[in-house]
Amino acid sequence: MAATGRRRLVKPRIGLALAGGGPMGAIYEIGALCALQESLAGVDLNDLAGYVGVSAGSFVAAGLANGITPRQLCTSFIENDGPRADIIRPTLFVQPALGEFVRRLAALPGLAVQAGWRYAFDRRGLLPAIEHLGRALPTGMFANAPLERQIRRLLSAPGRTNDFRQLSRKLFIVATDLDSGESAPFGAKGLDRVPISQAVAASAALPGLFPPVPVEGRWYVDGALKKTLHARMLLDEGLDLVIALNPLVPFDATHPHRHRVMSGADRPIPRLVDGGLPVVLSQTFRTLIHSRLELGLKGYETSHPETDILLFEPDHRDPEMFIANTFGYSQRRALAEHAYQQTRADLRSRRGTLGATLARHGLALDDAALDDPTRRLVRRRRPAGTQAARTVERLEEVLDDLAESLADLGVPDVAPGRPRRQSPR
């Protein structure tokens, strides 16, 4: 989207809008942001006028607003290196919601009695009685607390803050109020006293996977339920340029040629229907999310014609973002590298139109960085040669995870002298 008007002679006010997409979405956004940081001359992604994050994008936006660079986010989330307090492991997203399971299970006997009473005496039929038992089903499979604790720890380091009001830059983390269905822009006036880590957990609470998050007596779920980007939060600030990233796009499987997948082997992409229900649901969800995004962008052209919006997202014909396993360690690195290189290729293919838009704001592409074929995002890892070496490496990962879990419970480090595992260089 290109706003009309003459070239601005003052420093432009730039904002960043990050959509959701689960761990895979955060991986894509970190890889893409690293490419943008290198390629957009005069743009510091840690010194923008405002940030808005939704779901997984809220974690990335909170980090950037706190001065954590895209490369540092890559180190902690993708490569699992750096300070221990900064590391975000994928296992944080898949820890069972034991507390939710216990609460629902404890309510089951009472609900069973009530359902039996309704069926026997109220004569409402069997189906309503069974539906009443549905209250015993957990509202989410995985716990929010581990992620919230790690984000809180990440933002508690010197020079960072977990308080919206102490940030020097505007930050909005958008969740959805479960009871009203309305958007809740944490960080806005009246909702800025909520800790950033709690707002991130609420914004990322995808119904069915994570339970709703209680905040000051109300319950909140994923911010993407209402809108995809929530870019209006920045547009209403009167910014000149908004950079938007959307990781979720429907996959175009109509092209007959073969694609090279991350395993390195060429294979044809089959019809999506052959993938069964999970693939069909994924394509459906992505299509709904993207169509809503397109409608929103068209609306912004009318409501905010003086603001340029640069949208970056995966290629619809690229299978990598559709079939990737985001919880595998090596796969995560490969996916981030792919997002980095794909974004660089996108910038090169749109060099003319992007250059014209950036020039209106006194900005430009860094052609030397963009055309450098040797640039990579993540370091190449040395293969662990033998099965024994791979077993030891995996054991060290498990021990690190166990140590962090014990630390969360207040148990001191049982082996403080053991050096933490570092990725091979």
Side-chain angles (χ1 to χ4, degrees):
M1 294 175 57
T4 58
R6 290 178 291 182
R7 176 173 175 167
R8 296 178 174 88
L9 301 179
V10 297
K11 182 179 179 180
R13 300 184 67 228
I14 305 173
L16 180 67
L18 301 176
M24 180 273 295
I27 292 168
Y28 167 81
E29 289 175 344
I30 291 172
L33 287 169
C34 287
L36 292 173
Q37 182 66 87
E38 293 177 355
S39 305
L40 299 179
V43 176
D44 182 355
L45 293 179
N46 291 110
D47 189 25
L48 302 181
Y51 304 82
V52 60
V54 183
S55 192
S58 65
F59 149 66
V60 180
L64 293 172
N66 265 279
I68 305 175
T69 68
R71 282 280 179 174
Q72 288 172 329
L73 287 172
C74 180
T75 298
S76 62
F77 186 63
I78 308 301
E79 299 185 89
N80 284 167
D81 278 345
R84 174 172 167 177
D86 284 5
I87 291 179
I88 306 291
R89 295 190 186 279
T91 52
L92 290 174
F93 298 94
V94 291
Q95 296 188 23
L98 297 179
E100 174 72 3
F101 295 157
V102 170
R103 284 191 297 271
R104 297 290 170 170
L105 186 61
L108 183 57
L111 292 173
V113 171
Q114 294 171 13
W117 178 273
R118 291 187 175 197
Y119 178 69
F121 298 101
D122 289 355
R123 300 187 182 282
R124 296 184 181 181
L126 180 60
L127 184 58
I130 294 176
E131 289 177 346
H132 190 72
L133 291 175
R135 299 183 183 185
L137 294 176
T139 56
M141 298 173 57
F142 305 117
N144 318 91
L147 176 62
E148 191 279 330
R149 284 196 301 268
Q150 185 59 20
I151 298 297
R152 188 188 338 135
R153 184 184 302 155
L154 178 73
L155 301 183
S156 297
R160 304 171 189 169
T161 179
N162 198 28
D163 190 331
F164 285 102
R165 297 164 295 185
Q166 295 181 9
L167 286 171
S168 59
R169 308 163 185 88
K170 290 272 189 181
L171 171 65
F172 303 104
I173 302 297
V174 186
T176 302
D177 188 313
L178 181 62
D179 291 317
S180 69
E182 296 299 320
S183 297
F186 294 108
K189 187 175 181 180
L191 289 173
D192 54 358
R193 61 183 178 273
V194 175
I196 296 173
S197 59
Q198 192 174 17
V200 169
S203 181
L206 181 63
L209 289 182
F210 298 94
V213 174
V215 180
E216 297 184 344
R218 301 190 69 86
W219 297 87
Y220 295 90
V221 293
D222 199 312
L225 267 64
K226 191 73 175 180
K227 292 182 181 179
T228 302
L229 272 178
H230 291 276
R232 186 177 293 273
M233 300 296 303
L234 298 178
L235 296 173
D236 289 344
E237 295 288 322
L239 303 187
D240 304 309
L241 175 67
V242 171
I243 300 171
L245 272 68
N246 172 49
L248 293 182
V249 297
F251 176 54
D252 183 358
T254 61
H255 295 266
H257 61 274
R258 301 168 75 88
H259 300 270
R260 178 170 292 275
V261 296
M262 288 183 187
S263 63
D266 286 333
R267 72 181 189 203
I269 300 301
R271 297 173 304 171
L272 295 185
V273 69
D274 295 336
L277 181 61
V279 171
V280 172
L281 289 179
S282 176
Q283 181 76 337
T284 301
F285 178 72
R286 289 163 176 264
T287 302
L288 290 173
I289 288 289
H290 199 262
S291 63
R292 191 172 58 179
L293 171 64
E294 291 175 332
L295 288 175
L297 292 177
K298 291 183 182 296
Y300 297 150
E301 290 179 353
T302 303
S303 62
H304 299 81
E306 295 301 318
T307 302
D308 284 321
I309 300 180
L310 298 180
L311 175 65
F312 296 92
E313 55 187 13
D315 189 332
H316 292 242
R317 299 164 298 177
D318 184 353
E320 305 291 8
M321 298 299 296
F322 190 76
I323 64 176
N325 171 19
T326 60
F327 293 105
Y329 185 78
S330 61
Q331 192 84 347
R332 193 166 72 256
R333 292 167 59 94
L335 182 60
E337 181 68 40
H338 180 78
Y340 171 79
Q341 299 295 353
Q342 188 263 339
T343 302
R344 284 167 47 83
D346 184 25
L347 289 167
R348 289 192 293 269
S349 68
R350 294 197 283 164
R351 196 192 305 257
T353 56
L354 290 176
T357 301
L358 293 171
R360 283 198 294 273
H361 304 283
L363 305 171
L365 291 171
D366 186 337
D367 291 324
L370 200 54
D371 294 329
D372 183 356
T374 65
R375 288 183 179 254
R376 287 183 53 85
L377 176 63
V378 296
R379 298 181 298 273
R380 290 185 174 89
R381 301 183 69 198
R382 260 196 330 264
T386 66
Q387 179 63 39
R390 289 192 293 271
T391 301
V392 170
E393 181 177 347
R394 177 57 184 153
L395 178 60
E396 289 180 343
E397 291 181 17
V398 172
L399 289 174
D400 283 340
D401 289 339
L402 178 59
E404 292 179 5
S405 298
L406 292 175
D408 287 339
L409 296 174
V411 179
D413 192 345
V414 295
R418 185 176 69 87
R420 192 182 63 81
R421 178 183 56 83
Q422 298 289 333
S423 294
R425 298 180 182 273

